[in-house]
Amino acid sequence: MKVKKVNGTVKTVIATLALMFFFINFSSSILAQCSPADLRTEYRIDGQWLSGQNAITVEQGASIMLSGLPNDVITVSIITPSGVTRNDNYSFIAAPDNMGIYTITSNEGCSVNLTIQLAGGADAQNPSAPSNLTANSITQNSIALSWTAATDNVGVTGYRLFTNGGNPIDLGNGTSHQINNLLPSTTYTFTVRALDAAGNTSADSGNLSVTTASEGTVTNLALNKPATQSSTYGSVTFGRASNAVDGNTDGDRDSGSTTHTDDDEPQKWWRVDLGAVYNISEIKIFNRTDCCGSRLNGAKVYVGSIDSSNPDDYTDLGITLNANSTQPFPGLAVNGRYVMVHLVSGQSGFLSLAEVEVYGSTGGTGSGGSSPWNVSSNGIDFGAANTAAGNVGIGTSAQANYRLAVDGTVHAREVVVDNDSWPDYVFRPDHTLPTLEEVQAHIDTKGHLINVPSEAEVRASGVRLGEMNKILLEKIEELTLYMLQQNELQKKLEEELHKFENEQ
């Protein structure tokens, strides 16, 4: 019995040593042939794809979570990149300590290390929560979401998406997903959690509330467009102007998607540049929800087409905001490129917004609201009767004394200037023509003609084309009268001279 036991033990030792010797030599031979491009292959466990996916590419040193119990026999089949299953399968028994490191040979003769960790044992750590959940594209019937990837001690295997708190949808390991077949003008709330192969789940990403576009409107025109504001509180990232056009309507400051100005300035405003003039049909304002909703009380919404931070340069839509979390304003028909939210001058407190959405279309014909601009088949005209916004500046701020102020050259084929009077009065009998002596005296004293503006006056106030043309014509007509007088005097002198010559 002792001999048999010894012989059995010796045989076991010899077989074990032989197997170890084989694997050492085999591993040494294949590792010498490895290159980074070769270290890619696909695996399946007991005929099932890893993690329930169609295929997984395993890099060198990758960690893969397997479902199994200690002492379960697990078979690994090597699948080549072309989809051919190799004949050499590898079986091993799961280690009792739920952890095993195995070398698997690829079809190119190289090897990769696979860390096998069993569920329900050593891995009890949850993945981190996904962050920066954002809506990147919003239409009437779809919303495209994206988020920053979560992390895990072994590896994240997928994500779970909740819509309005209902049944979740399990997604793959990507960081984006588009939801289709949604209803127009409807608000949806989304949450994402991360998963690992052990069944551990992360905390929620935080709620993201998004409203689909209204029927008959285009995508949110303000989404990811350049935004500015009067100031940013403490230069903190959570208060940036761009947070109100990032597609995230979450009104909790901790979500990192609200704006925040200082409170020690007389003018507090936020503005978005749509990039082009649109016929705006709807504006939606999303307020803070964690606190401070009353900060929007009394704020007004403006639309304009010039790059200005002065609300007087814009059209007041007659919209006054309140503390409500969501404030939609449909039925607008106002043309503009810039949308501004302005807190009433002198009102204390901060200006905070969660999101501003703008809907509309190009090529619109309505003016609506209180806009002074009217678009029709005849072109665009400005309602001059609107004295509150009746002046226009091109290349300069509109000046109070002029309907149109232009800093630059005006090129035209013809300019028509209306004038209520014209210097035909020069030729009337009751007109008093200054004598040449009076003209000479005025020139000697003033340095310019009578009724003609001086150089200093022109420098200070410019030249009024209609008035100046009238003055110049007046001088030409007066000069004509002087010439006629001189002609009459010359004729009389010639007659006197002729009479004198005949008397000799």
Side-chain angles (χ1 to χ4, degrees):
M1 293 296 292
K2 292 183 178 179
V3 173
K4 290 184 178 179
K5 184 175 182 179
V6 170
N7 289 338
T9 302
V10 171
K11 290 180 180 179
T12 302
V13 171
I14 293 174
T16 302
L17 291 175
L19 183 63
M20 291 176 60
F21 181 78
F22 169 78
F23 275 112
I24 291 173
N25 287 317
F26 181 72
S27 299
S28 299
S29 64
I30 63 173
L31 290 176
Q33 306 173 38
C34 287
S35 66
D38 296 329
L39 297 177
R40 289 188 176 91
T41 188
E42 296 172 350
Y43 302 91
R44 59 184 176 186
I45 306 301
D46 291 335
Q48 301 297 319
W49 294 110
L50 290 179
S51 303
Q53 300 183 32
N54 291 334
I56 283 186
T57 298
V58 181
E59 302 290 348
Q60 186 177 25
S63 296
I64 299 299
M65 182 74 66
L66 300 179
S67 295
L69 296 174
N71 301 317
D72 281 354
V73 177
I74 301 175
T75 302
V76 177
S77 299
I78 299 176
I79 309 300
T80 67
S82 61
V84 177
T85 303
R86 294 190 56 181
N87 295 325
D88 45 348
N89 295 336
Y90 297 87
S91 298
F92 52 88
I93 299 176
D97 60 357
N98 299 323
M99 178 69 73
I101 299 178
Y102 305 90
T103 298
I104 307 299
T105 305
S106 76
N107 64 301
E108 297 293 338
C110 289
S111 65
V112 291
N113 289 329
L114 220 60
T115 299
I116 309 300
Q117 186 172 345
L118 298 183
D123 184 20
Q125 181 172 326
N126 295 328
S128 66
S131 58
N132 300 321
L133 180 59
T134 303
N136 300 302
S137 178
I138 305 171
T139 69
Q140 297 177 38
N141 308 111
S142 67
I143 298 173
L145 301 175
S146 66
W147 55 89
T148 301
T151 58
D152 186 64
N153 63 317
V154 175
V156 173
T157 58
Y159 294 91
R160 183 165 291 165
L161 173 65
F162 294 84
T163 302
N164 293 339
N167 294 328
I169 300 175
D170 284 347
L171 308 174
N173 207 13
T175 57
S176 63
H177 182 70
Q178 178 162 315
I179 303 98
N180 298 312
N181 301 318
L182 303 177
L183 298 175
S185 304
T186 304
T187 300
Y188 295 87
T189 300
F190 304 101
T191 302
V192 175
R193 298 175 188 169
L195 310 173
D196 65 15
N200 300 313
T201 60
S202 73
D204 290 346
S205 61
N207 291 334
L208 171 65
S209 295
V210 186
T211 302
T212 52
S214 303
E215 288 186 286
T217 62
V218 298
T219 302
N220 177 15
L221 302 173
L223 184 62
N224 296 323
K225 295 296 176 60
T228 53
Q229 59 188 7
S230 54
S231 63
T232 300
Y233 180 70
S235 300
V236 291
T237 56
F238 74 76
R240 294 176 299 187
S242 59
N243 290 345
V245 290
D246 62 358
N248 187 351
T249 61
D250 190 344
D252 189 337
R253 190 192 74 173
D254 292 339
S255 71
S257 183
T258 61
T259 70
H260 203 301
T261 68
D262 284 328
D263 67 342
D264 57 352
E265 52 185 350
Q267 301 286 337
K268 304 177 188 71
W269 54 266
W270 176 95
R271 187 187 65 168
V272 61
D273 179 3
L274 303 179
V277 175
Y278 290 90
N279 182 22
I280 297 172
S281 58
E282 182 178 9
I283 296 175
K284 292 183 179 180
I285 307 294
F286 295 83
N287 198 357
R288 288 275 296 273
T289 55
D290 53 343
C291 73
C292 323
S294 60
R295 290 176 179 173
L296 272 187
N297 284 337
K300 292 191 173 184
V301 182
Y302 298 81
V303 170
S305 295
I306 63 174
D307 185 0
S308 173
S309 59
N310 187 351
D312 292 340
D313 294 333
Y314 289 174
T315 298
D316 185 348
L317 298 184
I319 294 173
T320 301
L321 301 179
N322 53 48
N324 291 345
S325 59
T326 303
Q327 301 177 56
F329 301 98
L332 304 175
V334 58
N335 295 310
R337 171 174 173 171
Y338 301 90
V339 175
M340 172 185 283
V341 177
H342 182 266
L343 203 57
V344 177
S345 179
Q347 182 171 329
S348 61
F350 304 93
L351 174 61
S352 291
L353 297 164
E355 192 75 8
V356 176
E357 297 178 354
V358 181
Y359 299 94
S361 60
T362 58
T365 58
S367 58
S370 57
S371 171
W373 294 100
N374 300 297
V375 183
S376 67
S377 58
N378 295 325
I380 303 175
D381 65 272
F382 189 79
N386 187 341
T387 56
N391 301 326
V392 179
I394 300 177
T396 182
S397 297
Q399 301 183 37
N401 296 328
Y402 305 100
R403 284 296 185 196
L404 175 64
V406 180
D407 184 4
T409 302
V410 177
H411 180 95
R413 185 177 297 277
E414 183 61 85
V415 177
V416 176
V417 179
D418 294 331
N419 210 316
D420 295 332
S421 63
W422 203 239
D424 290 350
Y425 53 80
V426 173
F427 299 135
R428 293 172 185 163
D430 58 351
H431 177 68
T432 301
L433 182 68
T435 65
L436 290 177
E437 288 76 10
E438 292 173 333
V439 173
Q440 181 66 55
H442 190 279
I443 293 174
D444 293 341
T445 303
K446 305 291 186 180
H448 56 84
L449 291 174
I450 299 173
N451 295 334
V452 175
S454 66
E455 179 181 358
E457 292 173 323
V458 172
R459 285 180 177 274
S461 304
V463 174
R464 296 178 179 270
L465 292 179
E467 183 67 19
M468 196 66 219
N469 279 334
K470 185 178 74 172
I471 292 172
L472 292 176
L473 182 58
E474 178 187 78
K475 298 304 141 186
I476 292 174
E477 291 179 349
E478 288 180 348
L479 181 59
T480 301
L481 290 179
Y482 291 131
M483 292 177 63
L484 291 175
Q485 288 177 352
Q486 293 298 318
N487 183 61
E488 188 68 23
L489 178 59
Q490 181 178 345
K491 286 171 62 178
K492 288 182 180 180
L493 290 175
E494 289 177 349
E495 289 176 356
E496 291 293 331
L497 178 60
H498 182 69
K499 181 179 179 181
F500 177 76
E501 289 176 344
N502 289 335
E503 291 177 351
Q504 298 299 318

